[in-house]
Amino acid sequence: MSVQSTIQPVQTATTDFLPLQGTDYVEFYVGNAKQAAHYYISAFGFQPIAYLGPETGHKDRASYVVRQNKLTFVLTTPIRSGNEMADHVYKHGDGVKVLALKVEDATSAWEETTKRGGKSYLAPVKLTDGNGELVMSGIHTYGDVVHLFIERKNYQGPFMPGYRAWSNPYFKTEETGLLYVDHCVGNVSWNQMNPWVAFYQDVMGFRNILSFDDNDISTEYSALMSKVMSNGNGYVKFPINEPAEGKKKSQVEEYLDFYNGEGVQHVAMATNDIVATVHALRSRGVDFLQVPTSYYDDLLDRVGHIDEDLEPLKELGILVDRDDEGYLLQLFTKPVEDRPTLFFEIIQRKGAKSFGKGNFKALFEAIEREQEARGNL
Ligand code: FE2
């Protein structure tokens, strides 16, 4: 298998049995949602939106909704032990539970996917309050992750029925230019990439638009294999990674060990000005992977002309890669919890539709230095 150099054409809406309007929200199950929400607000520049908890009649949990442009994160914690949420946190630490997708018709989305073999997580349910009605349904995917289908065309409230608006007039943060979810990557177990690729093809009507094998993502380094799945209109992209045998322990294997199973490896968030965004994030204490400054010595020979000045890219450690259609700038945070599991990518696309293959070597060397420091290589 070799890397396909161009993105494959996508389905037309008429043949798409699961038309998706994009990512609706990402929900994290965490050990302490109050503090996690504060981190996304203070460090990443999200704004407080909505809250659900004992005060709103939900005795088992607290959920905080934060938003920046089209990015909506829900931080949920169990407030009692001995339930599915508490077991999830005990098993995985903090991590992604829900990748929610915005749809026109959540009932049809559930029917179309479950009849193709998707395992139901939530049969279509209509939620109502004074702000209208919202329909949601859901299916299981890899690990303990689920996809919820959210139909909110008849809902005008702050987030969903059951939530109340939440703000803190004493605590304001500037946004950092994060715009929307570009892609979400799943780490699956040995030999499980192709079965999950088949799941996204058969159950959700996605297409494989790009593949990397263990020759691309070298055996010298933290080897992995990856296939990128995209929905019909390209709004939703899910690369699926599995570990590969290498001289050293695969970064995916380290994730699987510490997450105690399959799960979301990273969420990529788009910006239109990566220099300003990364500058803001760094100044608020977000830790990023650091490539050696030698990365920049021959950068322009590798990627050709770019609009940005090299100096700020070098100062902030921002990486650049080019494909047939343009270039992209990207940078990866270190894991955002103490387990070496979930992290974030910041990405600015200038024509390129790929995922930064040219940066894998430099990145994986940086990841290996971190693995080594944790004693996991
Ligand atoms: Fe990525």
Side-chain angles (χ1 to χ4, degrees):
M1 161 191 7
S2 64
V3 175
Q4 298 157 8
S5 59
T6 53
I7 303 293
Q8 302 301 301
V10 295
Q11 291 168 307
T12 61
T14 51
T15 61
D16 193 349
F17 64 81
L18 183 62
L20 301 175
Q21 300 166 334
T23 302
D24 195 278
Y25 66 89
V26 180
E27 181 169 10
F28 306 77
Y29 279 0
V30 299
N32 186 336
K34 179 178 281 191
Q35 291 189 5
H38 195 289
Y39 175 71
Y40 287 100
I41 293 168
S42 58
F44 284 87
F46 283 72
Q47 305 297 315
I49 294 293
Y51 170 80
L52 171 157
E55 301 87 343
T56 65
H58 292 77
K59 302 295 185 196
D60 63 341
R61 70 185 68 190
S63 292
Y64 296 78
V65 182
V66 298
R67 180 172 293 153
Q68 185 164 181
N69 296 298
K70 289 184 177 171
L71 279 158
T72 304
F73 285 176
V74 182
L75 292 315
T76 293
T77 200
I79 58 176
R80 293 203 179 263
S81 302
N83 54 64
E84 179 258 332
M85 279 177 288
D87 293 348
H88 194 282
V89 173
Y90 178 74
K91 181 177 179 186
H92 300 299
D94 290 6
V96 172
K97 175 63 185 178
V98 180
L99 293 173
L101 304 169
K102 193 175 176 190
V103 297
E104 177 72 14
D105 184 340
T107 306
S108 159
W110 182 84
E111 287 170 356
E112 294 293 335
T113 51
T114 54
K115 85 178 182 197
R116 287 173 170 82
K119 186 180 159 208
S120 177
Y121 172 72
L122 177 70
V125 56
K126 189 180 291 184
L127 306 172
T128 56
D129 68 8
N131 293 307
E133 74 174 45
L134 181 146
V135 186
M136 62 195 287
S137 63
I139 59 171
H140 291 267
T141 178
Y142 52 82
D144 290 326
V145 182
V146 300
H147 290 309
L148 289 183
F149 303 116
I150 309 293
E151 173 189 332
R152 55 170 72 255
K153 60 180 184 285
N154 298 316
Y155 191 69
Q156 283 80 43
F159 182 58
M160 274 188 190
Y163 285 78
R164 71 180 184 201
W166 166 54
S167 64
N168 185 340
Y170 304 106
F171 179 50
K172 294 249 186 287
T173 56
E174 292 289 317
E175 297 197 339
T176 57
L178 298 171
L179 298 173
Y180 56 86
V181 173
D182 185 275
H183 59 275
C184 291
V185 180
N187 277 343
V188 299
S189 197
W190 296 94
N191 305 313
Q192 292 303 303
M193 177 180 70
N194 285 327
W196 285 108
V197 163
F199 165 86
Y200 280 105
Q201 267 168 359
D202 301 343
V203 173
M204 295 184 66
F206 282 39
R207 292 188 54 154
N208 175 215
I209 58 165
L210 214 52
S211 301
F212 309 98
D213 65 19
D214 50 350
N215 295 318
D216 299 315
I217 306 179
S218 170
T219 51
E220 272 297 305
Y221 305 99
S222 299
L224 62 83
M225 295 191 286
S226 189
K227 288 187 177 176
V228 182
M229 304 306 293
S230 172
N231 83 312
N233 59 19
Y235 290 178
V236 178
K237 292 184 285 292
F238 294 143
I240 306 291
N241 295 334
E242 75 169 46
E245 293 290 351
K247 289 181 183 166
K248 296 169 181 173
K249 185 173 186 174
S250 170
Q251 56 177 285
V252 179
E253 204 179 349
E254 187 197 34
Y255 174 102
L256 295 169
D257 281 355
F258 282 84
Y259 199 67
N260 206 1
E262 302 178 338
V264 173
Q265 180 207 42
H266 72 268
V267 177
M269 305 188 284
T271 171
N272 282 336
D273 185 349
I274 196 166
V275 170
T277 296
V278 172
H279 180 77
L281 295 174
R282 277 200 186 278
S283 70
R284 292 157 183 234
V286 176
D287 284 330
F288 289 93
L289 282 178
Q290 192 74 47
V291 297
T293 52
S294 59
Y295 171 89
Y296 296 91
D297 293 348
D298 56 353
L299 176 67
L300 297 181
D301 298 333
R302 278 182 279 133
V303 303
H305 172 77
I306 56 173
D307 303 333
E308 293 72 16
D309 291 334
L310 200 54
E311 212 39 51
L313 299 182
K314 188 173 176 177
E315 190 188 316
L316 294 167
I318 294 165
L319 311 176
V320 189
D321 193 28
R322 183 177 287 279
D323 65 21
D324 293 349
E325 294 170 272
Y327 67 97
L328 61 82
L329 305 107
Q330 66 185 166
L331 189 52
F332 297 84
T333 72
K334 291 184 182 179
V336 291
E337 56 288 298
D338 294 300
R339 296 194 194 196
T341 53
L342 176 75
F343 59 89
F344 291 96
E345 174 180 354
I346 312 301
I347 185 166
Q348 181 178 6
R349 295 186 180 278
K350 302 193 96 168
K353 294 193 182 124
S354 53
F355 295 83
K357 177 179 174 258
N359 291 322
F360 287 172
K361 183 172 185 288
L363 273 170
F364 289 3
E365 286 171 335
I367 289 171
E368 280 180 9
R369 284 192 296 277
E370 300 285 322
Q371 279 183 268
E372 180 99 69
R374 293 190 285 260
N376 296 333
L377 200 56

